[in-house]
Amino acid sequence: MSSIGQSMYDFATELFPINRSITGEGVRQTLKMCSDRIAGEDGITFEIKNVASGTQVFDWNVPKEWKINAAYIEDEAGNHIVDMAVSNLHVMGYSTPIDEWVDLEELKQHIFTLPDQPDIVPYVTSYYKERYGFCMSQNQLDSLKPGKYHMYIDSELFEGNLTYAELVLPGESDEEIFFSTYDCHPSMANNEVSGPVLMCELIKYVKTIQNRHYTYRFIIIPETIGSITYIATDNHLQHMKQHIVAGFNLSCVGDDRDYSIVHSKYADTLADRVLTNVLKTHTEGKYSDYSFLKRGSDERQYNSAGVDLPVVCFCRSKFGEYPEYHTSADDMTLVSPEGFQGAYDVVTQVVDALENNKTFVMTVPCEPQLGKRGLFPTVSKKGSYDAVMAMMYFMTYADGRNDLIGISEITGVPVKELIDIAHKLHENGLVEVK
């Protein structure tokens, strides 16, 4: 196991306890930690930006900022039945203040559970309608005895800001590769902290690429309202439509059960092609493939009519498809160093494939004499020819009709192997870029 996967898991452990929502101090704390992680010796890091509450963003308005200090339910003996100090999932996100004693029947009107998963606590929010509530397991609710209960939430909604982070790493071209993830959920591991953790490690990798061809745009935003706000402000939409050639939304990338792609609207973009290609070779074809009809994260906004960006979603186990999703069971035991490492390997291979995805043309007719260039075994025996078959495949389809991903799709040779072949042939003057 690479130390990268363990380092990612350790950073996720640091981020996990923070109480996040679509606005507020938890978001700012998370972004500060992500900024510190990627800064390094070069000092290049995220720019933190704020958009004021009430700002109109297409058909939406940026909501008020939410601040919460405490939330609990106590019984008549002073015992805390639930307390957000124990688990921040115990309070419904964006709850308004309450300080009231009620009987059990009224209390139940403000409790959310999962009857079909009676041992775990659900994640519940109410962003755009003011209300309050608590979450607990169904078993705990069933155990409550008649009597008086104190509902207490110390919170406020006020004119504040929606906060997001952005980093652009320039390349030789103004064509852009786009990565997006979110930071708006409280303590859930796969569905929340895994995306920012992977984003940070990917940025560190892209920084190391010498003579980057593409410009890379990275954002960490609150899901849905954040992507809408980003697209709607600072002329981002026009710029993104002109410059982004492939984009990837990162969601639920820390477990080790599956790999998944949610395709773009028509599944015909460079992003669809490269992520599908990498997943096929990385997993030997054992991954889940979802159409855009199964969308659910910010790929919805990036592919929406009038936006139409070439963006896919990359997950390990896809949101909504694993039983712990949006519950207290999505904890640090669900993710693993191996899971993080696998996601990191995929996205770095995607970047490598894109950086090297050129259309090649052979410079000589017929098969070149590879032996005199040290590219072919000088002794022919069983098995020796197999070692150069990938090179022969490459040369056959390096006819100006196929980019590197296309050659991989035809031949079944992984792009990472074709990259090395292309470099060797180019060094020997046998292939040129069209």
Side-chain angles (χ1 to χ4, degrees):
M1 167 57 55
S2 166
S3 61
I4 291 176
Q6 184 63 56
S7 176
M8 293 171 71
Y9 182 87
D10 293 343
F11 185 43
T13 303
E14 295 178 34
L15 294 178
F16 181 78
I18 299 172
N19 186 40
R20 286 166 290 265
S21 187
I22 56 175
T23 63
E25 286 304 316
V27 171
R28 288 187 278 270
Q29 182 182 356
T30 299
L31 296 180
K32 173 64 165 57
M33 293 171 69
C34 289
S35 296
D36 291 345
R37 185 168 178 85
I38 67 170
E41 294 182 0
D42 60 15
I44 298 171
T45 192
F46 286 112
E47 182 178 358
I48 308 301
K49 298 186 176 183
N50 292 296
V51 182
S53 300
T55 302
Q56 185 168 354
V57 286
F58 300 130
D59 200 38
W60 296 65
N61 291 92
V62 174
K64 292 180 178 179
E65 187 169 327
W66 183 57
K67 180 180 180 181
I68 185 163
N69 300 310
Y72 58 81
I73 302 170
E74 66 175 332
D75 63 18
E76 293 173 281
N79 300 308
H80 283 204
I81 305 304
V82 295
D83 192 327
M84 71 166 292
V86 176
S87 170
N88 51 36
L89 270 66
H90 278 312
V91 62
M92 181 174 69
Y94 258 61
S95 281
T96 53
I98 185 69
D99 184 359
E100 186 175 342
W101 284 89
V102 296
D103 61 26
L104 180 58
E105 289 309 307
E106 184 172 350
L107 176 69
K108 287 181 177 180
Q109 302 305 309
H110 302 283
I111 301 296
F112 297 88
T113 66
L114 290 171
D116 59 338
Q117 294 177 286
D119 295 321
I120 58 180
V121 179
Y123 164 62
V124 180
T125 63
S126 182
Y127 299 134
Y128 302 105
K129 181 176 176 58
E130 292 191 8
R131 54 165 62 91
Y132 60 88
F134 297 88
C135 302
M136 64 177 66
S137 72
Q138 182 65 45
N139 286 340
Q140 184 178 18
L141 179 61
D142 292 342
S143 72
L144 296 183
K145 294 178 172 58
K148 292 291 185 178
Y149 292 88
H150 183 202
M151 297 188 298
Y152 180 79
I153 299 175
D154 177 8
S155 67
E156 60 178 312
L157 292 168
F158 60 95
E159 299 296 325
N161 293 285
L162 179 151
T163 307
Y164 69 87
E166 178 184 42
L167 172 62
V168 177
L169 295 176
E172 296 171 346
S173 169
D174 63 2
E175 291 185 321
E176 292 185 2
I177 308 300
F178 174 58
F179 287 92
S180 175
T181 193
Y182 51 83
D183 63 343
C184 54
H185 299 79
S187 296
M188 289 178 285
N190 203 34
N191 182 51
E192 174 56 25
V193 298
S194 70
V197 166
L198 178 59
M199 174 82 77
C200 290
E201 211 62 38
L202 177 61
I203 289 170
K204 290 160 64 177
Y205 179 80
V206 173
K207 282 184 177 185
T208 68
I209 299 174
Q210 300 295 316
N211 303 315
R212 287 187 299 266
H213 173 70
Y214 288 111
T215 293
Y216 288 81
R217 180 175 298 267
F218 303 92
I219 62 172
I220 305 178
I221 52 175
E223 200 170 25
T224 303
I225 187 60
S227 53
I228 293 170
T229 298
Y230 186 82
I231 294 167
T233 56
D234 294 339
N235 201 38
H236 286 141
L237 177 57
Q238 181 178 355
H239 179 92
M240 294 165 83
K241 288 175 75 72
Q242 290 176 349
H243 296 282
I244 289 176
V245 296
F248 306 87
N249 185 50
L250 307 178
S251 174
C252 303
V253 287
D255 73 296
D256 54 10
R257 295 170 176 168
D258 197 6
Y259 290 90
S260 308
I261 177 174
V262 182
H263 284 281
S264 66
K265 187 159 55 176
Y266 294 105
D268 60 354
T269 72
L270 176 59
D272 293 276
R273 292 180 62 218
V274 67
L275 182 54
T276 298
N277 183 279
V278 170
L279 287 176
K280 281 182 178 177
T281 55
H282 184 75
T283 68
E284 298 181 342
K286 297 175 182 178
Y287 69 97
S288 294
D289 188 283
Y290 297 94
S291 81
F292 186 69
L293 299 178
K294 297 295 185 180
R295 65 198 182 277
S297 186
D298 284 318
E299 70 279 355
R300 298 170 6 246
Q301 312 309 327
Y302 302 132
N303 283 270
S304 62
V307 179
D308 301 306
L309 295 174
V311 176
V312 301
C313 185
F314 169 56
C315 310
R316 296 280 325 225
S317 292
K318 176 182 167 292
F319 44 81
E321 299 292 330
Y322 60 95
E324 300 89 352
Y325 176 71
H326 273 195
T327 76
S328 58
D330 189 348
D331 59 20
M332 291 303 299
T333 66
L334 182 62
V335 297
S336 68
E338 294 80 9
F340 279 116
Q341 182 68 50
Y344 174 81
D345 291 343
V346 167
V347 293
T348 53
Q349 286 179 48
V350 163
V351 167
D352 289 345
L354 290 169
E355 283 289 316
N356 291 276
N357 190 42
K358 300 175 177 64
T359 299
F360 295 95
V361 181
M362 293 296 295
T363 60
V364 297
C366 297
E367 293 180 0
Q369 223 289 2
L370 298 177
K372 67 182 182 181
R373 297 175 172 89
L375 299 176
F376 197 90
T378 56
V379 175
S380 180
K381 61 180 181 179
K382 184 178 181 180
S384 63
Y385 190 65
D386 296 341
V388 295
M389 279 305 297
M391 183 175 291
M392 305 297 287
Y393 291 154
F394 176 89
M395 293 188 298
T396 299
Y397 291 99
D399 56 9
R401 293 177 57 181
N402 308 291
D403 59 13
L404 203 67
I405 297 171
I407 295 175
S408 176
E409 291 168 346
I410 293 169
T411 64
V413 179
V415 168
K416 60 183 179 180
E417 293 184 28
L418 293 178
I419 291 171
D420 184 56
I421 290 170
H423 287 168
K424 288 180 180 179
L425 293 176
H426 187 264
E427 289 169 0
N428 282 272
L430 294 177
V431 71
E432 62 186 13
V433 177
K434 183 178 178 181

